[in-house]
């Protein structure tokens, strides 16, 4: 273990480079004025310069060179930004409902950003998947049938392959594939990942992580639970196997999950060899 003490924000993620030499996260020493932090073995902790009085890191590219975040002031608008680790923040043009927009993934060159926004303005309303390309205005994402997608959550190095969650259904009415995870290769194809037999009929699925080449993805889905009404379970997906509950391989490993109230995938190693 190596101790690198710093008070970090308990509400923001921590990103660690594949070689363990760099960390990006958010400072928690002053909750009213958080700042994006970079730790490197040669320099220790540094606050990355920001144009905002408060700034939060939300995502980092696969090569650990581009960062996504948001910033603002105690009173005033909240903007989303993208930057190179050694560069300056570039503010992303806002969606119509700027206070409900979020970002989830960025290409290595920082030119493509994935995210979503809530058109109704309510925090728990259905979301619309967005993408920003080359610093331009955000555009909604659609499947080949013209249906609006709900969320883009993971992509490969250039965001040519994108995974996401479900369709945007304003009134949450049942619709084929409305809750299924999906992936798209742009003009070269779109597929739903499928469903799992023990999932709730209209329960949600979430893609939490994918390998660098996007041949393996994993996430969470909802099942019925006699005590809690519903519970979370984990799944994995490849094109060869389709979507598969992690319940069986976990049981084969001898650690079981019959007494667990929930189970989810937090991340996958870049080469797919390990799942957390």
């Amino acid at each position: 273990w190596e101790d690198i003490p710093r008070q970090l924000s308990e509400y923001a993620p921590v990103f660690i480079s594949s070689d363990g030499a760099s960390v990006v996260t958010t400072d928690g020493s002053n909750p009213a004025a958080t700042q994006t932090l970079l730790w490197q073995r040669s320099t220790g902790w540094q606050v990355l310069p920001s144009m905002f009085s408060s700034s939060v890191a939300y995502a980092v590219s696969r090569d650990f060179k581009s960062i996504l975040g948001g910033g603002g002031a105690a009173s005033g608008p909240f903007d989303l930004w993208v930057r190179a680790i050694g560069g300056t923040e570039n503010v992303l043009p806002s969606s119509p409902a700027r206070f409900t927009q979020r970002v989830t993934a960025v290409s290595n060159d920082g030119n493509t950003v994935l995210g979503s926004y809530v058109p109704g303005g309510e925090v728990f309303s259905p979301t619309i998947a967005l993408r920003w390309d080359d610093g331009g205005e955000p555009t909604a994402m659609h499947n080949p049938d013209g249906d609006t997608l709900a969320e883009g959550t993971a992509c490969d190095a250039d965001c040519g392959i994108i995974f996401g969650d479900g369709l945007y259904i304003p009134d949450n009415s049942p619709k084929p594939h409305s809750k299924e995870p999906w992936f798209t290769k742009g003009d070269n194809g779109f597929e739903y990942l499928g469903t799992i037999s023990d999932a709730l009929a209209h329960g949600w699925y979430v893609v939490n992580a994918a390998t660098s080449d996007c041949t393996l993805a994993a996430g969470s889905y909802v099942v019925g639970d006699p005590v809690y009404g519903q519970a979370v379970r984990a799944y994995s997906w490849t094109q060869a196997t389709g979507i598969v509950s992690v319940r069986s391989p976990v049981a084969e490993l001898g650690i079981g999950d019959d007494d667990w109230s929930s189970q989810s995938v937090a991340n996958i190693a870049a080469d797919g060899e390990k799942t957390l």
Side-chain angles (χ1 to χ4, degrees):
W1 291 100
E2 182 176 351
D3 191 16
I4 51 172
R6 179 83 182 204
Q7 186 171 343
L8 307 179
S9 171
E10 60 183 303
Y11 304 108
V14 176
F15 304 98
I16 304 173
S17 62
S18 58
D19 59 5
S22 301
V23 176
V24 169
T25 186
T26 302
D27 185 30
S29 59
N30 182 2
T34 59
Q35 293 297 329
T36 303
L37 291 175
L38 171 66
W39 176 88
Q40 294 176 309
R41 183 162 280 108
S42 59
T43 61
W45 289 106
Q46 307 171 73
V47 173
L48 294 180
S50 174
M51 68 181 77
F52 302 105
S53 60
S54 186
S55 187
V56 180
Y58 293 138
V60 177
S61 63
R62 291 189 176 275
D63 65 357
F64 223 76
K65 292 183 178 179
S66 295
I67 308 174
L68 278 179
S75 59
F78 186 84
D79 291 298
L80 298 173
W81 50 258
V82 60
R83 66 180 297 164
I85 279 187
T88 58
E89 295 162 331
N90 294 307
V91 175
L92 294 171
S94 295
S95 65
R98 66 184 303 168
F99 289 102
T100 64
Q101 64 187 6
R102 73 183 195 123
V103 283
T104 49
V106 59
S107 60
N108 284 354
D109 60 11
N111 289 334
T112 300
V113 171
L114 303 181
S116 64
Y117 80 104
V118 181
E122 299 294 330
V123 175
F124 298 108
S125 295
T127 59
I128 288 178
L130 292 178
R131 64 179 292 160
W132 288 258
D133 289 294
D134 301 318
E137 296 289 328
T139 57
M141 297 180 63
H142 300 85
N143 67 12
D145 296 327
D147 297 315
T148 304
L149 300 173
E151 182 96 54
T153 54
C155 65
D156 61 358
D158 63 359
C159 286
I161 301 174
I162 298 172
F163 285 94
D165 311 326
L167 303 178
Y168 167 66
I169 308 293
D171 56 4
N172 276 320
S173 59
K175 183 175 183 177
H177 307 297
S178 62
K179 302 295 184 181
E180 283 183 47
W182 47 264
F183 80 93
T184 178
K185 297 180 180 179
D187 296 333
N188 296 318
F190 179 95
E191 290 185 33
Y192 292 101
L193 303 194
T195 59
I196 300 175
S197 60
D198 65 343
L200 287 179
H202 299 295
W204 49 260
Y205 294 77
V206 175
V207 179
N208 291 332
T211 53
S212 293
D213 60 4
C214 286
T215 57
L216 169 67
S220 307
Y221 69 103
V222 178
V223 300
D225 184 273
V227 176
Y228 302 102
Q230 63 181 35
V232 177
R233 289 288 181 263
Y235 72 82
S236 64
W237 172 91
T238 70
Q239 282 201 290
T241 63
I243 189 169
V244 179
S245 173
V246 175
R247 191 178 186 91
S248 295
V250 162
E252 291 171 8
L253 290 171
I255 56 178
D257 70 345
D258 288 340
D259 59 344
W260 296 352
S261 62
S262 65
Q263 177 194 74
S264 61
V265 172
N267 214 335
I268 306 173
D271 60 5
E273 291 296 316
K274 294 182 176 68
T275 299
L276 178 65

